[in-house]
């Protein structure tokens, strides 16, 4: 069975992706900071024949990252690293003039530094996989200048560049940064609590775009989920 490591998998896009992979017969290593919520998610992800290893913790913790990759090795290897865990840096979002510097550091540590740490931990397994891939969840805020999204967007822009360089350095892997587009998630509600997000699609609507990457294995690069869905 192929093995995926999905961070931030207790809800939102991480849980939706994990669910789809489990339905396809993948084994999973998943994490989230809230142990109780993660345990409930792991029960949902467990399907007949699917092995799920759920480790609560923060991706900013080097020991936690090492434990996640060790669990993947114990399951037989690692075919997909999905860096989905994200931090806003400020909730609700605020203009850069009032953005807390510690919040920006948190966003960079979670969205960029931890992602690189996971890549470094898992490269040996990914290189050994028949079709190793790294998937980083980006944002349109990485390339568009939206008011109050400066801290979060700059961290996602840094993630995009990190993955672009990784693709050059690791030509044997597929390395994709994906902008999922608008989604109805707790992260968005925390970012803009007064906005009515009822019209935004649920994360499950984005998953077919991510699965298309795994099926078609297009070249490494940055992709927007809506465009991937149009090609389906």
């Amino acid at each position: 069975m192929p093995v995926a490591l999905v961070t931030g998998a207790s809800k939102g896009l991480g849980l939706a992706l994990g669910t789809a992979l489990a339905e396809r017969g993948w084994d999973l290593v998943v994490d989230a900071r809230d142990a109780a919520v993660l345990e409930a998610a792991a029960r949902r992800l467990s399907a007949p024949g699917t092995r799920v290893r759920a480790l609560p913790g923060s991706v900013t913790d080097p020991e936690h990252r090492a434990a996640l990759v060790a669990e993947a090795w114990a399951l037989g290897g690692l075919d997909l690293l999905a860096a989905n865990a994200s931090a806003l840096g400020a909730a609700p979002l605020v203009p850069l003039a009032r953005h807390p510097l510690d919040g920006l550091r948190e966003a960079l540590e979670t969205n960029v530094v931890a992602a690189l740490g996971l890549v470094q931990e898992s490269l040996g397994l990914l290189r050994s996989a028949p079709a190793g891939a790294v998937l980083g969840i980006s944002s349109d805020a990485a390339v568009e200048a939206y008011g109050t999204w400066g801290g979060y967007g700059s961290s996602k822009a840094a993630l995009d560049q990190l993955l672009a360089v990784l693709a050059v350095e690791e030509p044997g892997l597929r390395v994709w940064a994906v902008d999922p587009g608008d989604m109805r998630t707790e992260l968005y509600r925390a970012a803009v609590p007064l906005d009515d997000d009822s019209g935004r699609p649920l994360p499950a609507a984005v998953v077919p775009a991510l699965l298309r990457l795994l099926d078609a294995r297009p070249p490494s690069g940055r992709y927007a989920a809506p465009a991937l869905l149009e090609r389906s």
Side-chain angles (χ1 to χ4, degrees):
M1 297 292 185
V3 178
L5 194 172
V6 183
T7 63
S10 64
K11 51 193 172 184
L13 184 58
L15 178 57
L17 175 60
T19 300
L21 293 174
E23 290 172 350
R24 286 183 163 212
W26 286 60
D27 292 327
L28 300 171
V29 179
V30 295
D31 92 325
R33 285 174 289 187
D34 188 312
V37 177
L38 180 63
E39 181 180 354
R43 289 195 296 270
R44 289 180 56 184
L45 292 171
S46 296
T50 299
R51 296 176 295 175
V52 179
R53 303 290 185 266
L55 277 68
S58 171
V59 292
T60 63
D61 178 359
E63 292 184 1
H64 177 64
R65 295 195 298 264
L68 290 170
V69 177
E71 288 291 345
W73 180 86
L75 288 175
L78 184 60
D79 300 271
L80 172 66
L81 169 61
N84 169 71
S86 295
L88 286 169
L93 296 178
V94 294
L96 288 174
R98 295 190 283 113
H99 199 292
L101 297 185
D102 284 345
L104 178 58
R105 293 186 186 97
E106 179 191 15
L108 291 168
E109 189 71 28
T110 303
N111 304 348
V112 187
V113 177
L116 178 56
L118 276 170
V119 166
Q120 292 174 340
E121 285 283 349
S122 59
L123 264 179
L125 294 180
L126 290 168
R127 288 167 177 162
S128 299
V134 176
L135 169 64
I137 301 303
S138 183
S139 169
D140 56 347
V143 295
E144 300 290 346
Y146 300 133
T148 73
W149 288 86
Y152 179 78
S154 63
S155 72
K156 291 298 185 177
L159 176 64
D160 285 356
Q161 177 66 1
L162 183 152
L163 294 175
V165 173
L166 179 66
V168 172
E169 296 175 345
E170 298 290 336
L173 303 179
R174 287 291 190 269
V175 182
W176 303 302
V178 177
D179 167 13
D182 286 345
M183 292 187 295
R184 196 186 322 167
T185 63
E186 289 187 16
L187 187 77
Y188 183 84
R189 284 192 290 274
V192 192
L194 298 181
D195 184 39
D196 178 10
D197 67 349
S198 60
R200 296 175 181 271
L202 291 169
V206 175
V207 170
L210 307 183
L211 297 180
R212 178 170 176 79
L213 290 174
L214 296 175
D215 292 340
R217 291 186 62 79
S220 297
R222 189 180 193 279
Y223 293 87
L228 288 169
L229 291 171
E230 287 174 2
R231 300 178 197 176
S232 300

